[in-house]
Amino acid sequence: MAALQYSLLLSFTLSALVSTVLAHNITDILSGFPEYSEFNKYLTQTKLADEINTRQTITVLALNNGAMSALAAKHPLSVIKNALSLLVVLDYFDPTKLHQISKGSTLSTTLYQTTGNAPGNLGFVNITDLQGGKVGFGSAAPGSKLESSYTKSVKQVPYNISILEISQPIIAPGILTAPAPTPSSVNMTALLEKAGCKTFASLLQTSGVIKMYQSAADKGLTIFAPNDEAFKAAGVPDLSKLTNAEVVSLLQYHATASYSPFGSLKTSKDPISTLASNGAGKFDLTVTSAGDSVTLHTGIGPSRVAETVLDSTPLVIFTVDNVLLPVELFGKAPSPAPAEEPVSAPSPSPIASTPAPAIVEAPSPLAASPPAPPMETPGGAPADAPFGSENSTADGNAAVHVIAPVQVTVFAAVICSILMS
């Protein structure tokens, strides 16, 4: 028993240590660097900060206040989000690794590629080690130039998060010129029907709730749309027996008056209010996440967030696997059957049949980011370029790489010796 308790305590301690090492908060990190305050502000406004914080291995290519202000002055928030998502690389690069790129050049996936808005390989960036210790960044689209360059290291937590400053945004073809739809101009019902949510779209139109959605969209709106199969599932009540007011409340329960993209949902800890919320704890939703899966809980049953139909700041539309049934409308449990009166003469008790356990399908994880497409090294990209003035920074980072695992090992050894004494 003592050995089992020791093993469990040690496992718990190591798990806590690993979680601590991997955890990061991009907003808190950048708050210590006032020269990136504008960049930090827009990461928060676009909710990219939430997405960054859910990733265990990531590199953020930061823009100083001058470069960020120049980008923000010319474009709406939805375009700024696309441009900044191209600066979030789903791999770890520190100054040392930048100068040790195989064959001098590589393509890396960014958050922009995971949005579904990047055709082809426009969501990848080209990172190339140049002559004289310089490193260039550019779009992976054929013919694109390396117009941005590495300026300096900001912060590294090996091998969790790295923040590097670059000279200017990386511009993929069309990323700044494509007109971003405004929430008021989005045809929500057409998008929902195309996504396989025709029943939900029809209910929104016949009830008039679609107008509530449209009026709320400009200030921020997140919609959880059940697919058509969800309305046919066992346990879904007959909606024709609901009053008009109850139908309206049910549909309002499927939206929240805030912009909450997938990354924000994954980091959500508190209950979230819906358009139907009319008091403390009334018509709220709770959220849990496991890996890349996010589940909504109503108090009656769970519903997995399946796909992103639209993510255009400040409007996002998701499909969900089940109809969200609020306890305020459907939470009354059936009354238990009254106990039978005892009989005077004992009689054999009938053998009770054991009901078969309900089978609950585990939620499937969301689609993973596609791998980077193969591409030859750009012509003339030199390898083995000199480090130049960055040797001291690279060496410092390399030293940190060793310290974090050693600290975990030493801490675990101390715990073991204490428990065994």
Side-chain angles (χ1 to χ4, degrees):
M1 179 63 69
L4 177 60
Q5 291 176 339
Y6 161 78
S7 177
L8 291 174
L9 179 58
L10 180 58
S11 298
F12 175 82
T13 302
L14 291 176
S15 298
L17 285 171
V18 172
S19 298
T20 301
V21 171
L22 293 179
H24 60 254
N25 187 310
I26 184 65
T27 305
D28 288 347
I29 294 174
L30 289 178
S31 64
F33 300 89
E35 62 268 39
Y36 307 111
S37 59
E38 285 295 302
F39 182 73
N40 199 13
K41 179 181 74 174
Y42 280 101
L43 288 182
T44 300
Q45 289 185 4
T46 59
K47 304 291 185 177
L48 285 174
D50 293 333
E51 184 69 31
I52 291 170
N53 292 340
T54 66
R55 302 279 177 167
Q56 291 186 350
T57 303
I58 204 158
T59 299
V60 179
L61 305 176
L63 301 174
N64 62 30
N65 289 339
M68 186 68 240
S69 297
L71 174 66
K74 302 176 183 179
H75 305 286
L77 192 61
S78 56
V79 172
I80 294 172
K81 179 177 182 178
N82 287 338
L84 293 185
S85 64
L86 197 60
L87 304 183
V88 182
V89 181
L90 306 185
D91 197 357
Y92 182 86
F93 287 92
D94 58 16
T96 301
K97 186 175 178 180
L98 288 179
H99 293 289
Q100 295 177 348
I101 297 173
S102 177
K103 298 182 181 180
S105 185
T106 187
L107 296 182
S108 287
T109 313
T110 70
L111 278 184
Y112 186 50
Q113 185 67 29
T114 69
T115 64
N117 298 325
N121 61 353
L122 292 186
F124 296 84
V125 294
N126 179 356
I127 306 175
T128 299
D129 188 10
L130 301 171
Q131 294 282 356
K134 295 182 179 180
V135 179
F137 295 83
S139 170
S144 297
K145 298 180 180 179
L146 301 174
E147 296 181 332
S148 183
S149 60
Y150 165 69
T151 305
K152 64 179 181 179
S153 170
V154 180
K155 177 76 173 181
Q156 279 83 45
V157 181
Y159 293 93
N160 183 207
I161 182 171
S162 176
I163 304 175
L164 308 172
E165 181 186 297
I166 59 175
S167 60
Q168 64 185 59
I170 300 170
I171 306 301
I175 196 171
L176 300 181
T177 57
T182 59
S184 56
S185 67
V186 171
N187 190 332
M188 296 183 189
T189 54
L191 286 174
L192 291 170
E193 290 174 355
K194 186 177 180 180
C197 304
K198 293 181 179 180
T199 302
F200 184 68
S202 177
L203 288 171
L204 290 176
Q205 287 182 309
T206 56
S207 65
V209 175
I210 188 65
K211 295 180 180 179
M212 300 180 190
Y213 280 15
Q214 290 169 338
S215 62
D218 287 328
K219 295 182 179 179
L221 183 69
T222 301
I223 300 173
F224 304 108
N227 56 39
D228 291 336
E229 293 301 316
F231 284 95
K232 303 175 185 178
V236 176
D238 185 353
L239 301 186
S240 64
K241 296 181 179 180
L242 300 180
T243 65
N244 291 336
E246 289 173 335
V247 171
V248 168
S249 295
L250 176 64
L251 297 175
Q252 289 177 323
Y253 189 61
H254 285 75
T256 178
S258 63
Y259 173 64
S260 300
F262 194 76
S264 296
L265 289 178
K266 287 180 68 175
T267 57
S268 178
K269 302 298 182 183
D270 299 324
I272 56 177
S273 299
T274 65
L275 294 183
S277 297
N278 54 11
K282 298 294 185 180
F283 288 95
D284 284 352
L285 291 167
T286 57
V287 183
T288 59
S289 62
D292 284 331
S293 181
V294 172
T295 303
L296 305 175
H297 303 270
T298 68
I300 293 180
S303 183
R304 184 182 67 94
V305 177
E307 296 180 355
T308 301
V309 178
L310 175 71
D311 184 353
S312 180
T313 311
L315 171 65
V316 59
I317 302 176
F318 297 109
T319 59
V320 292
D321 288 344
N322 297 308
V323 179
L324 305 178
L325 301 176
V327 295
E328 289 80 2
L329 294 181
F330 308 105
K332 291 183 178 180
S335 302
E340 295 183 1
E341 293 294 332
V343 295
S344 55
S347 57
S349 300
I351 299 175
S353 58
T354 303
I359 299 176
V360 180
E361 293 184 359
S364 59
L366 295 178
S369 306
M375 175 173 283
E376 296 181 356
T377 302
D384 302 325
F387 281 31
S389 61
E390 294 174 344
N391 281 337
S392 58
T393 304
D395 293 340
N397 287 330
V400 176
H401 295 176
V402 178
I403 291 173
V406 170
Q407 288 177 335
V408 174
T409 305
V410 172
F411 194 114
V414 171
I415 293 295
C416 293
S417 61
I418 292 174
L419 292 173
M420 294 176 66
S421 63

